[in-house]
């Protein structure tokens, strides 16, 4: 009877207090390493913009290219979650050298001499719950269509001058005359390396669709 009670007590799970620290997490749609964290934060508009997005529950834009106003950004949004935040630590493998002789002999002869063997200990993983993620920023919506215009077009150059606040270029800009050369000749198309014979010089729209998710039209 005593052995049965002791067995039942050993099968009861141990209660551990849960850390109530609150975290906000970001599911960044790209590869992130310790050296690129700062760049990812800058792509999202800085810490202040990220903080305002979490606080007010707004959408956030992730530019796909640096200083390119014609590249449509990826749209992200914050959702309420109750995810556990884990800290996983892996101990690196260390070489353990068994020496038959002393340390002086090891330094003189090296580890490759007979009588010395090298073993690697297996890695050990430890997991710890450090808090709860109550809000998560996700980028799960399809990215809008992308169209790259001719960078030598006067309108495109004007847009780039507005981004870098080039007042001289803006003041000197004049609307070019329309020559109505809307179609390139085969020779001109080959010289420019253009994929199409169209020369309409159409500037891309701010957005191609007003909806983030596709709809089922019936």
């Amino acid at each position: 009877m005593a052995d049965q009670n002791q067995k039942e007590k050993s099968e009861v799970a141990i209660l551990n207090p849960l850390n109530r620290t609150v975290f906000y997490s970001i599911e960044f749609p790209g590869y992130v390493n310790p050296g690129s964290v700062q760049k990812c934060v800058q792509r999202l508009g800085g810490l202040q913009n990220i903080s305002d997005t979490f606080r007010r529950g707004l959408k956030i834009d992730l530019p796909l290219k640096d200083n390119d106003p014609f590249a449509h950004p990826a749209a992200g949004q914050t959702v309420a979650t109750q995810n556990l935040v884990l800290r996983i630590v892996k101990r690196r493998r260390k070489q353990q050298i068994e020496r038959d002789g002393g340390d002086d002999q090891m330094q003189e002869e090296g580890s490759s001499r007979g009588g010395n063997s090298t073993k690697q200990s297996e890695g050990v993983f430890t997991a710890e719950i450090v808090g709860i993620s109550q809000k998560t920023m996700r980028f799960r919506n399809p990215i809008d269509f992308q169209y790259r215009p001719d960078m030598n077009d006067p309108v495109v150059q004007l847009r780039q001058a507005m981004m870098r606040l080039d007042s001289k270029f803006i003041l000197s800009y004049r609307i070019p005359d329309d020559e109505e050369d809307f179609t390139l000749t085969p020779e001109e198309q080959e010289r420019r390396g253009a994929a199409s014979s169209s020369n309409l010089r159409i500037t891309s729209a701010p957005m191609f669709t007003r909806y983030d998710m596709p709809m089922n039209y019936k």
Side-chain angles (χ1 to χ4, degrees):
M1 189 65 178
D3 295 340
Q4 184 177 359
N5 293 337
Q6 185 177 2
K7 183 179 180 180
E8 292 178 355
K9 290 181 180 180
S10 62
E11 293 178 353
V12 177
I14 301 175
L15 296 178
N16 293 321
L18 182 64
N19 195 332
R20 307 301 297 184
T21 304
V22 177
F23 288 88
Y24 291 163
S25 58
I26 300 176
E27 296 178 358
F28 193 85
Y31 293 102
V32 181
N33 54 50
S36 63
V37 174
Q38 187 63 29
K39 185 176 181 180
C40 295
V41 172
Q42 293 177 356
R43 282 290 181 93
L44 293 172
L47 290 176
Q48 186 62 42
N49 187 42
I50 296 175
S51 178
D52 293 341
T53 302
F54 277 119
R55 179 171 53 85
R56 302 173 62 183
L58 302 176
K59 292 185 178 181
I60 190 170
D61 290 336
L62 173 62
L64 302 178
K65 296 181 179 179
D66 294 329
N67 301 322
D68 189 353
F70 303 100
H72 295 170
Q77 57 184 358
T78 58
V79 295
T81 56
Q82 292 294 331
N83 299 329
L84 298 179
V85 180
L86 299 179
R87 176 192 295 162
I88 300 177
V89 179
K90 175 187 176 182
R91 294 183 181 178
R92 296 181 179 179
R93 295 181 177 182
K94 296 182 179 180
Q95 293 182 348
Q96 295 180 350
I97 301 177
E98 297 179 356
R99 303 179 178 87
D100 293 338
D103 293 341
D104 297 338
Q105 180 183 359
M106 185 66 189
Q107 293 176 1
E108 293 176 359
E109 297 181 357
S111 59
S112 61
R113 297 292 300 274
N116 297 326
S117 61
T118 302
K119 293 183 179 180
Q120 289 186 346
S121 59
E122 296 182 356
V124 179
F125 292 86
T126 58
E128 177 188 3
I129 300 177
V130 296
I132 302 174
S133 176
Q134 294 186 351
K135 291 184 179 181
T136 302
M137 184 181 298
R138 293 175 175 173
F139 296 85
R140 297 189 177 182
N141 298 342
I143 301 176
D144 198 3
F145 295 102
Q146 305 291 320
Y147 175 81
R148 186 172 181 81
D150 183 9
M151 304 309 293
N152 295 323
D153 188 272
V155 177
V156 176
Q157 293 179 352
L158 175 62
R159 182 66 179 87
Q160 292 178 337
M162 295 173 63
M163 283 194 60
R164 62 177 183 268
L165 300 178
D166 189 350
S167 59
K168 293 183 179 180
F169 186 92
I170 297 174
L171 294 175
S172 63
Y173 176 78
R174 298 294 183 270
I175 299 177
D177 297 332
D178 194 354
E179 300 178 358
E180 298 186 359
D181 53 342
F182 303 131
T183 304
L184 298 175
T185 62
E187 294 78 9
E188 185 68 18
Q189 181 180 352
E190 183 179 359
R191 185 182 68 83
R192 296 186 181 183
S196 174
S197 61
S198 176
N199 193 32
L200 294 179
R201 295 185 293 273
I202 299 177
T203 305
S204 60
M207 64 176 62
F208 289 109
T209 176
R210 296 185 296 112
Y211 303 100
D212 296 335
M213 295 296 292
M215 300 178 61
N216 186 14
Y217 294 95
K218 287 185 178 180

